[in-house]
Amino acid sequence: MLPGSFLSLSLGSSSGSSNSSAAAVGLQGLGSEAHQGGAGSEVQHEWDGSPALDRCSVQLDAILQLLWRPREVEGHHQLKLVSKKIHVIISSGTKGMDTATASKQAWPPWPPFLFLLLLPGGGSGSCPVVCDCISQPQAVICAHRQLEAVPGGLPLDTELLDLSGNRLWGLQRGMLSRLGLLQELDLSHNQLSILEPGAFHGLQSLLTLRLQGNRLRILGPGVFSGLSSLTLLDLRLNQIVLFLDGAFGELGSLQQLEVGDNHLVFVAPRAFAGLAKLGTLTLERCNLSTVPGVALARIPALVALRLRELDIERLPAGALQGLGQLKELEIHHWPSLEALDPGSLVGLNLSSLAITRCNLSSVPFQALHHLSFLRVLDLSQNPISAIPARRLSPLVRLQELRLSGACLTSIAAHAFHGLTAFHLLDVADNALQTLEETAFPSPDKLVTLRLSGNPLTCDCRLLWLLRLRHHLDFGTSPPACAGPQHVQGKNLREFSDILPPGHFTCKPALIRKSGPRWVIAEEGGHAVFSCSGDGDPAPTVSWMRPQGAWLGRAGRIRVLEDGTLEIRSVQLRDRGAYVCVVSNVAGNDSLRTWLEVIQVEPPNGTFSDPNITMPGIPRPFFLDSRGVAMVLAVGFLPFLTSVTLCFALIALWSKGKGRVKHHMTFDFVAPRPSGDKNSGGNRVTAKLF
């Protein structure tokens, strides 16, 4: 007896299990007709052309009727053919038995032929010869079989179809439309260059479509029609040059789109229109020269955007302004990107930002200052040399900063102040010689610190790190000392809690050498002050004006790298004192110098007004002929004024209080004539006013 379960698997129909069971019962009945007698006894049956064969024929017809499904025309024809062959075999067997004289068999001659004919039946449970089939889930694996076309006879209940690594060159409309239950289709690494509109029609259950590694060039409207449930589309490693408007318009459920490693040079403004649920987009290794901001603005639900290995020189202001839901932005390996425009991230509310392996020379503070919800900032593998003080304070929710593989030489004191939630710093593989405790608002809240690969000097500045070494996560490689020599190569975890003398110590800074303390320069000339100091750690040299600001490293008055103060195009206002300060963590020392400026007379002979130095700054007394003349002139004028004023006051006082006569009286007596003694002279009284 041919097992009914086996034939049920070979001939079973996807329309239900009842037909298969009925077929199995029919075949079992057929076998029971062929067997007579009890168990264990040798059964012999003579073929006499009697009603036994007719009953077998009737049972076979019943089985074929149960297996036949009117909606499957191809299967219907195959079953008819099988029925005809079976009837021919039965007839020929009957004739043979009529002519045989003494032939007796335990089995009729046709069941082996029936088995061979029914085994490759065309039902939904069959598997193409060139493929491997796996159940639960129903998967058909046809990978790397040198196929040039989609094989026929695929089970209708297939959920996963793998056709990768073959030689498929095209996909025509309706070719896979019968696989309505298909959920994952892998067509990667073929030779597909043509996808006709409607090529995936009927695949309403498809969730994942992989097309990477083909020869696709242009994607236009209608190519992905019918894929209403698709959530992942992989188009990497193709030759796509452009995305036309509406290329993805019917993928309303798509959540992840991979389009890297293409020749992409242009994205139409409405290419991404219709991607209402797209959350992740990756654009990498293509020929885009600008960020397609207008097209990206058509993706309202975009959460993660990855722009990798692109030859784009700048991210212009407002380029990503339409992505209000974007939380993660990755910009990786843009060799031409040297700075971020101040408004390049306007409109974004990011929680994670990675700008790695670019050419940024400094942290783009102006472009980042409005990202108050930013939690992770990754600027690794950029030539950034320093982190200044308090410039990151607007990022109040920042928790993690990664700057590994950069060119950091210094992290200023108070560099991370204002970051109350800060707990991870990765500055591995840089050029840091130290990391001071004052850089952090709360060093005890630091959880992870990656410092390996830095030439650290283990002096008093790292005592705080030694104290917290058992509580910090240093990663796989703890930081090690590059100096002093007696601790060189020793990592921080190897030190004991009680340090030997001379370990982790510092010497205060002292000025050892300096140039002239009095420098005279002509107006428009050049002046240089030198100053240097010793200490452990090596001190820094800076210059300032008394009661003034510190002098920087740029401009007409600047401090050079070796600590020299240089003043170019000397002006009269530069006259005065300059203070050199050498300092390290253990102390500081200072020295005051003086600059005298000689004024040069202009060609017209006039003198410009002299500038007076800043108040409170002592200066030497310097007097020439011009100064003497000015002093005399200034002294004579007050003297003359005071004398005139005194005379005026005396006159007024004399008029009001003095005893001054306004007239005088005198008598005049005329002389007597000679010889006249008795005659007296005439008396005349006169008044003079």
Side-chain angles (χ1 to χ4, degrees):
M1 180 183 69
L2 193 64
S5 60
F6 183 86
L7 288 178
S8 174
L9 176 64
S10 299
L11 295 172
S13 173
S14 61
S15 61
S17 61
S18 60
N19 292 351
S20 299
S21 301
V25 171
L27 289 176
Q28 289 172 357
L30 177 62
S32 63
E33 285 290 332
H35 287 78
Q36 299 291 334
S41 62
E42 182 178 352
V43 179
Q44 299 290 333
H45 182 78
E46 294 185 2
W47 294 89
D48 54 359
S50 63
L53 288 178
D54 296 333
R55 288 195 297 271
C56 290
S57 179
V58 171
Q59 289 176 350
L60 284 174
D61 288 336
I63 294 169
L64 295 176
Q65 289 294 330
L66 289 173
L67 294 177
W68 172 62
R69 289 183 300 168
R71 65 177 180 273
E72 297 295 339
V73 179
E74 180 182 357
H76 184 201
H77 290 316
Q78 290 179 356
L79 290 174
K80 279 187 174 182
L81 179 61
V82 170
S83 177
K84 290 180 180 179
K85 289 183 178 180
I86 290 173
H87 284 294
V88 170
I89 293 172
I90 292 174
S91 300
S92 61
T94 304
K95 293 178 182 179
M97 285 182 290
D98 290 339
T99 58
T101 59
S103 176
K104 292 184 178 180
Q105 300 180 15
W107 289 91
W110 49 266
F113 294 98
L114 175 64
F115 168 74
L116 294 176
L117 289 170
L118 295 181
L119 182 61
S124 64
S126 63
C127 182
V129 177
V130 296
C131 303
D132 297 325
C133 296
I134 305 172
S135 60
Q136 296 181 358
Q138 186 66 32
V140 180
I141 310 300
C142 309
H144 305 284
R145 306 299 168 90
Q146 306 297 320
L147 299 177
E148 296 183 359
V150 177
L154 294 172
L156 301 181
D157 57 352
T158 301
E159 296 179 4
L160 186 152
L161 177 59
D162 186 356
L163 292 169
S164 62
N166 286 290
R167 299 178 180 178
L168 305 181
W169 58 270
L171 200 62
Q172 286 74 34
R173 178 181 176 89
M175 183 174 288
L176 301 171
S177 60
R178 298 169 62 249
L179 305 179
L181 300 178
L182 191 63
Q183 297 182 14
E184 182 172 350
L185 176 59
D186 191 347
L187 294 168
S188 58
H189 301 289
N190 278 277
Q191 300 177 13
L192 293 174
S193 59
I194 300 174
L195 292 178
E196 293 184 359
F200 303 103
H201 182 73
L203 304 182
Q204 65 274 4
S205 300
L206 193 66
L207 301 177
T208 302
L209 176 58
R210 303 185 186 279
L211 290 167
Q212 71 268 28
N214 282 281
R215 300 178 180 179
L216 301 176
R217 291 183 176 274
I218 298 176
L219 292 181
V223 172
F224 301 111
S225 63
L227 300 179
S228 58
S229 301
L230 194 68
T231 59
L232 188 150
L233 176 60
D234 193 344
L235 294 171
R236 294 173 297 167
L237 292 167
N238 276 278
Q239 302 173 10
I240 300 174
V241 178
L242 52 88
F243 290 146
L244 299 177
D245 286 334
F248 307 99
E250 300 186 19
L251 301 179
S253 299
L254 193 66
Q255 299 177 13
Q256 183 175 348
L257 177 61
E258 305 283 343
V259 292
D261 296 285
N262 278 279
H263 301 163
L264 194 63
V265 296
F266 177 72
V267 179
R270 299 184 59 85
F272 299 133
L275 298 177
K277 295 183 179 180
L278 185 65
T280 302
L281 174 62
T282 302
L283 289 169
E284 59 184 354
R285 291 184 293 275
C286 55
N287 296 325
L288 290 174
S289 58
T290 59
V291 176
V294 178
L296 294 175
R298 303 281 182 179
I299 313 176
L302 192 63
V303 175
L305 176 61
R306 302 182 180 100
L307 305 172
R308 300 170 179 163
E309 299 186 41
L310 302 176
D311 190 16
I312 297 179
E313 296 183 358
R314 60 186 294 261
L315 188 64
L320 304 173
Q321 191 167 3
L323 302 176
Q325 300 297 320
L326 194 67
K327 300 301 179 185
E328 300 177 14
L329 175 61
E330 179 184 353
I331 296 175
H332 174 69
H333 197 192
W334 293 15
S336 303
L337 185 65
E338 299 181 355
L340 285 185
D341 290 359
S344 57
L345 303 178
V346 169
L348 299 182
N349 191 18
L350 300 174
S351 60
S352 176
L353 174 62
I355 306 176
T356 56
R357 205 177 173 186
C358 296
N359 203 20
L360 300 179
S361 58
S362 62
V363 179
F365 298 108
Q366 292 184 349
L368 302 176
H369 76 278
H370 70 284
L371 300 177
S372 57
F373 287 91
L374 191 67
R375 288 177 171 81
V376 179
L377 177 60
D378 191 350
L379 298 174
S380 300
Q381 296 178 315
N382 281 283
I384 298 174
S385 60
I387 302 178
R390 303 182 186 276
R391 296 295 303 276
L392 291 169
S393 58
L395 309 179
V396 292
R397 292 176 176 83
L398 190 67
Q399 300 176 7
E400 303 178 10
L401 175 62
R402 293 181 172 88
L403 262 166
S404 62
C407 300
L408 282 176
T409 58
S410 66
I411 297 178
H414 312 293
F416 308 116
H417 277 229
L419 309 180
T420 57
F422 192 70
H423 65 82
L424 184 148
L425 176 63
D426 184 357
V427 288
D429 302 318
N430 279 281
L432 292 172
Q433 294 185 358
T434 191
L435 180 60
E436 298 186 23
E437 183 179 11
T438 55
F440 303 94
S442 300
D444 294 336
K445 294 183 179 179
L446 199 62
V447 176
T448 303
L449 179 60
R450 308 289 168 81
L451 263 177
S452 60
N454 286 279
L456 296 175
T457 301
C458 292
D459 52 27
C460 64
R461 295 171 293 178
L462 293 184
L463 276 174
W464 72 276
L465 196 57
L466 194 66
R467 174 174 56 87
L468 297 176
R469 68 187 185 279
H470 297 302
H471 306 286
L472 286 174
D473 176 17
F474 290 127
T476 57
S477 179
C481 300
Q485 188 174 3
H486 60 277
V487 294
Q488 188 173 6
K490 195 173 183 180
N491 70 63
L492 295 186
R493 294 195 184 279
E494 297 178 4
F495 289 94
S496 62
D497 294 334
I498 300 176
L499 294 174
H503 285 64
F504 290 86
T505 58
C506 298
K507 295 179 181 179
L510 292 174
I511 294 178
R512 297 300 185 188
K513 297 180 181 180
S514 65
R517 299 183 62 183
W518 182 281
V519 175
I520 301 176
E522 290 186 353
E523 186 180 7
H526 187 264
V528 174
F529 295 91
S530 61
C531 179
S532 62
D534 293 332
D536 185 17
T540 59
V541 180
S542 53
W543 289 84
M544 65 175 295
R545 295 291 295 265
Q547 302 177 357
W550 293 95
L551 301 176
R553 296 189 179 275
R556 187 176 59 86
I557 302 176
R558 61 175 182 168
V559 181
L560 304 181
E561 292 292 336
D562 60 355
T564 300
L565 176 64
E566 180 186 42
I567 305 176
R568 296 174 296 177
S569 301
V570 175
Q571 301 177 9
L572 290 176
R573 61 181 179 178
D574 299 333
R575 179 188 300 162
Y578 294 85
V579 180
C580 171
V581 179
V582 293
S583 61
N584 64 9
V585 67
N588 58 70
D589 193 10
S590 62
L591 177 69
R592 176 172 295 197
T593 58
W594 186 270
L595 174 64
E596 183 61 39
V597 181
I598 299 176
Q599 187 178 26
V600 177
E601 183 178 357
N604 57 9
T606 60
F607 292 93
S608 60
D609 294 335
N611 283 312
I612 300 175
T613 58
M614 299 179 63
I617 303 176
R619 55 167 296 176
F621 180 74
F622 187 83
L623 192 62
D624 53 8
S625 58
R626 179 173 174 271
V628 172
M630 292 181 64
V631 169
L632 292 177
V634 171
F636 179 76
L637 183 60
F639 173 76
L640 181 61
T641 303
S642 61
V643 170
T644 304
L645 183 60
C646 288
F647 275 103
L649 290 176
I650 292 173
L652 291 175
W653 180 80
S654 298
K655 182 176 181 180
K657 299 294 183 180
R659 297 177 180 179
V660 180
K661 293 181 179 180
H662 298 283
H663 65 276
M664 71 175 16
T665 304
F666 60 90
D667 293 337
F668 176 77
V669 179
R672 294 177 181 177
S674 61
D676 188 2
K677 297 180 179 181
N678 294 325
S679 60
N682 296 326
R683 182 178 294 273
V684 178
T685 300
K687 291 183 179 181
L688 181 63
F689 290 92

